[in-house]
Amino acid sequence: MTARHDCRRAFAETLVALAERDSRVVAVCNDSVGSSNLTAFRARFPDRLINVGIAEQNLVGVSAGLASAGRIPFACGASCFLTGRALEQIKADLAYSRHNVKLCGLSSGMAYGELGPTHHSIEDLAWTRAIAHMTVVVPSDPIETAAAVQAAAAFDGPVFLRLSRMPVPVVCDERHSFEIGRSILLRDGTDLTIVAAGVTVTEALEAAALLDREGISAAVLNLSTIRPIDRERVVDAARRGPIVTVEEHTVHGGLGSAVAEVVVESHPTRMRMLGVPGVFAPTGSPAFLLQHFGLDAAGIREAARSLVRA
């Protein structure tokens, strides 16, 4: 069985390594040292971790203040609360002022499955990508997570990193060179393209393997930067044929919508957008929820098959 990894570990290890090299790197959290995997960071840099308590608006405001003083804050918290409760501060304190803060939305999507809809973060992509000046990144595995954290630190401006706690296998090559705004074609194909990000990339690759057994050749595009989107690669996919988008997020305003905006403007093609269809997800395990909404390999295969044969 392919080993699966919690990307929060790669995030935390990379953050410590960055802080070793750059004294400007600090961590800010909202009483979430453990769930943010910041225990090692606190032990190594006790005076560079600021815990504001359960106060997300304050978390973002303090981070903006640190950035204005030349620091590079990584503001960490559960994505459902970090983006939902502090959306006004994200817009006014970070994006409008272009403060150099890295928002780290942890346990995103439906990773908190059993805790129910209040803890599901299935609107965060729509909220953050709609705000001017925001860069939105959703890495797919530990290799890409580490690379994305480094790229965010080097980028001058606000970044939203969406990080799940659902274990995933390694899907990127160890030589993977992550670049903000560039997608990666993980699998080539001629009949359609499956576009995914984050934990759904694994399911998309498995779906492509299942389709291959049926004689359907599916490409898989890892669209790890939602904003700015890789327009060139999306248009290339549209020229090849139909597109299926897969996201652990509502279908309104997330990855599928971003792809559709490019497709409609540049090269219209048939699309299916898989995600949470404008409802609150039920309570259940993350694996159950992916299956419930057809976001697992079997569901993606069925959607792709029907689109190709329509």
Side-chain angles (χ1 to χ4, degrees), residues 13-23 25 40-41 44-45 48:
E13 291 175 351
T14 306
L15 191 59
V16 170
L18 282 171
E20 294 277 6
R21 300 195 300 268
D22 191 336
S23 61
V25 173
F41 188 100
R44 179 67 183 83
F45 307 104
R48 289 163 62 183

mmCIF file of all heavy atoms in Angstrom, residues 13-23 25 40-41 44-45 48:
data_model
loop_
_atom_site.group_PDB
_atom_site.id
_atom_site.type_symbol
_atom_site.label_atom_id
_atom_site.label_comp_id
_atom_site.label_asym_id
_atom_site.label_seq_id
_atom_site.Cartn_x
_atom_site.Cartn_y
_atom_site.Cartn_z
ATOM 1 N N GLU A 13 7.828 21.431 9.286
ATOM 2 C CA GLU A 13 9.283 21.237 9.138
ATOM 3 C C GLU A 13 9.886 22.321 8.235
ATOM 4 O O GLU A 13 10.981 22.818 8.496
ATOM 5 C CB GLU A 13 9.550 19.844 8.567
ATOM 6 C CG GLU A 13 9.217 18.713 9.543
ATOM 7 C CD GLU A 13 9.368 17.335 8.917
ATOM 8 O OE1 GLU A 13 9.556 17.253 7.676
ATOM 9 O OE2 GLU A 13 9.287 16.340 9.663
ATOM 10 N N THR A 14 9.174 22.667 7.181
ATOM 11 C CA THR A 14 9.678 23.700 6.275
ATOM 12 C C THR A 14 9.706 25.061 6.951
ATOM 13 O O THR A 14 10.644 25.853 6.750
ATOM 14 C CB THR A 14 8.800 23.763 5.014
ATOM 15 O OG1 THR A 14 8.715 22.459 4.434
ATOM 16 C CG2 THR A 14 9.382 24.723 3.987
ATOM 17 N N LEU A 15 8.697 25.323 7.778
ATOM 18 C CA LEU A 15 8.640 26.614 8.468
ATOM 19 C C LEU A 15 9.823 26.757 9.435
ATOM 20 O O LEU A 15 10.438 27.832 9.524
ATOM 21 C CB LEU A 15 7.316 26.750 9.216
ATOM 22 C CG LEU A 15 6.986 28.139 9.762
ATOM 23 C CD1 LEU A 15 6.944 29.164 8.643
ATOM 24 C CD2 LEU A 15 5.667 28.118 10.520
ATOM 25 N N VAL A 16 10.167 25.693 10.138
ATOM 26 C CA VAL A 16 11.328 25.730 11.040
ATOM 27 C C VAL A 16 12.604 25.977 10.243
ATOM 28 O O VAL A 16 13.454 26.798 10.636
ATOM 29 C CB VAL A 16 11.434 24.412 11.836
ATOM 30 C CG1 VAL A 16 12.763 24.341 12.590
ATOM 31 C CG2 VAL A 16 10.276 24.288 12.822
ATOM 32 N N ALA A 17 12.741 25.278 9.109
ATOM 33 C CA ALA A 17 13.942 25.452 8.274
ATOM 34 C C ALA A 17 14.034 26.888 7.751
ATOM 35 O O ALA A 17 15.124 27.477 7.716
ATOM 36 C CB ALA A 17 13.909 24.462 7.114
ATOM 37 N N LEU A 18 12.906 27.459 7.363
ATOM 38 C CA LEU A 18 12.892 28.844 6.891
ATOM 39 C C LEU A 18 13.311 29.803 8.003
ATOM 40 O O LEU A 18 14.093 30.741 7.785
ATOM 41 C CB LEU A 18 11.492 29.220 6.393
ATOM 42 C CG LEU A 18 11.066 28.721 5.020
ATOM 43 C CD1 LEU A 18 9.583 29.008 4.800
ATOM 44 C CD2 LEU A 18 11.888 29.402 3.931
ATOM 45 N N ALA A 19 12.779 29.549 9.188
ATOM 46 C CA ALA A 19 13.091 30.427 10.328
ATOM 47 C C ALA A 19 14.560 30.332 10.717
ATOM 48 O O ALA A 19 15.143 31.301 11.214
ATOM 49 C CB ALA A 19 12.199 30.060 11.511
ATOM 50 N N GLU A 20 15.162 29.169 10.499
ATOM 51 C CA GLU A 20 16.605 29.022 10.779
ATOM 52 C C GLU A 20 17.418 29.955 9.883
ATOM 53 O O GLU A 20 18.436 30.510 10.307
ATOM 54 C CB GLU A 20 17.043 27.570 10.529
ATOM 55 C CG GLU A 20 16.444 26.550 11.466
ATOM 56 C CD GLU A 20 17.209 26.446 12.780
ATOM 57 O OE1 GLU A 20 18.119 27.254 12.989
ATOM 58 O OE2 GLU A 20 16.844 25.567 13.585
ATOM 59 N N ARG A 21 16.935 30.105 8.643
ATOM 60 C CA ARG A 21 17.703 30.901 7.666
ATOM 61 C C ARG A 21 17.348 32.378 7.677
ATOM 62 O O ARG A 21 18.126 33.209 7.223
ATOM 63 C CB ARG A 21 17.469 30.338 6.250
ATOM 64 C CG ARG A 21 17.890 28.901 6.054
ATOM 65 C CD ARG A 21 17.956 28.566 4.575
ATOM 66 N NE ARG A 21 16.689 28.729 3.883
ATOM 67 C CZ ARG A 21 15.810 27.740 3.720
ATOM 68 N NH1 ARG A 21 16.079 26.536 4.193
ATOM 69 N NH2 ARG A 21 14.687 27.944 3.068
ATOM 70 N N ASP A 22 16.137 32.691 8.138
ATOM 71 C CA ASP A 22 15.642 34.065 8.019
ATOM 72 C C ASP A 22 14.981 34.488 9.327
ATOM 73 O O ASP A 22 13.911 33.973 9.680
ATOM 74 C CB ASP A 22 14.636 34.143 6.852
ATOM 75 C CG ASP A 22 14.283 35.581 6.479
ATOM 76 O OD1 ASP A 22 14.422 36.472 7.328
ATOM 77 O OD2 ASP A 22 13.855 35.795 5.329
ATOM 78 N N SER A 23 15.601 35.402 10.022
ATOM 79 C CA SER A 23 15.083 35.828 11.333
ATOM 80 C C SER A 23 13.785 36.615 11.218
ATOM 81 O O SER A 23 13.127 36.878 12.236
ATOM 82 C CB SER A 23 16.134 36.672 12.053
ATOM 83 O OG SER A 23 16.433 37.844 11.295
ATOM 84 N N VAL A 25 11.126 35.494 9.757
ATOM 85 C CA VAL A 25 10.005 34.546 9.757
ATOM 86 C C VAL A 25 9.489 34.332 11.177
ATOM 87 O O VAL A 25 10.254 33.973 12.081
ATOM 88 C CB VAL A 25 10.438 33.194 9.150
ATOM 89 C CG1 VAL A 25 9.329 32.149 9.317
ATOM 90 C CG2 VAL A 25 10.785 33.372 7.672
ATOM 91 N N ALA A 40 7.304 22.164 17.518
ATOM 92 C CA ALA A 40 8.758 22.220 17.291
ATOM 93 C C ALA A 40 9.210 23.656 17.038
ATOM 94 O O ALA A 40 10.287 24.057 17.493
ATOM 95 C CB ALA A 40 9.130 21.324 16.108
ATOM 96 N N PHE A 41 8.393 24.424 16.328
ATOM 97 C CA PHE A 41 8.737 25.834 16.081
ATOM 98 C C PHE A 41 8.807 26.599 17.397
ATOM 99 O O PHE A 41 9.740 27.371 17.628
ATOM 100 C CB PHE A 41 7.690 26.451 15.135
ATOM 101 C CG PHE A 41 8.048 27.833 14.657
ATOM 102 C CD1 PHE A 41 8.611 28.016 13.395
ATOM 103 C CD2 PHE A 41 7.837 28.951 15.447
ATOM 104 C CE1 PHE A 41 8.955 29.283 12.946
ATOM 105 C CE2 PHE A 41 8.173 30.223 15.003
ATOM 106 C CZ PHE A 41 8.731 30.381 13.751
ATOM 107 N N ARG A 44 11.978 25.710 19.299
ATOM 108 C CA ARG A 44 13.203 26.249 18.712
ATOM 109 C C ARG A 44 13.232 27.776 18.759
ATOM 110 O O ARG A 44 14.288 28.379 18.958
ATOM 111 C CB ARG A 44 13.309 25.769 17.255
ATOM 112 C CG ARG A 44 14.533 26.274 16.505
ATOM 113 C CD ARG A 44 15.807 25.694 17.056
ATOM 114 N NE ARG A 44 16.978 26.244 16.389
ATOM 115 C CZ ARG A 44 17.553 27.397 16.708
ATOM 116 N NH1 ARG A 44 17.056 28.116 17.705
ATOM 117 N NH2 ARG A 44 18.605 27.842 16.058
ATOM 118 N N PHE A 45 12.067 28.382 18.575
ATOM 119 C CA PHE A 45 12.002 29.855 18.524
ATOM 120 C C PHE A 45 10.878 30.361 19.454
ATOM 121 O O PHE A 45 9.853 30.864 18.978
ATOM 122 C CB PHE A 45 11.737 30.343 17.091
ATOM 123 C CG PHE A 45 12.678 29.800 16.055
ATOM 124 C CD1 PHE A 45 12.267 28.795 15.186
ATOM 125 C CD2 PHE A 45 13.974 30.287 15.945
ATOM 126 C CE1 PHE A 45 13.131 28.277 14.226
ATOM 127 C CE2 PHE A 45 14.844 29.773 14.995
ATOM 128 C CZ PHE A 45 14.430 28.769 14.136
ATOM 129 N N ARG A 48 9.527 33.762 18.856
ATOM 130 C CA ARG A 48 9.042 34.091 17.497
ATOM 131 C C ARG A 48 7.728 33.394 17.191
ATOM 132 O O ARG A 48 7.324 33.303 16.029
ATOM 133 C CB ARG A 48 10.120 33.731 16.459
ATOM 134 C CG ARG A 48 11.320 34.695 16.529
ATOM 135 C CD ARG A 48 12.544 34.169 15.840
ATOM 136 N NE ARG A 48 12.350 33.944 14.409
ATOM 137 C CZ ARG A 48 13.296 33.425 13.628
ATOM 138 N NH1 ARG A 48 14.489 33.089 14.147
ATOM 139 N NH2 ARG A 48 13.077 33.237 12.349
#
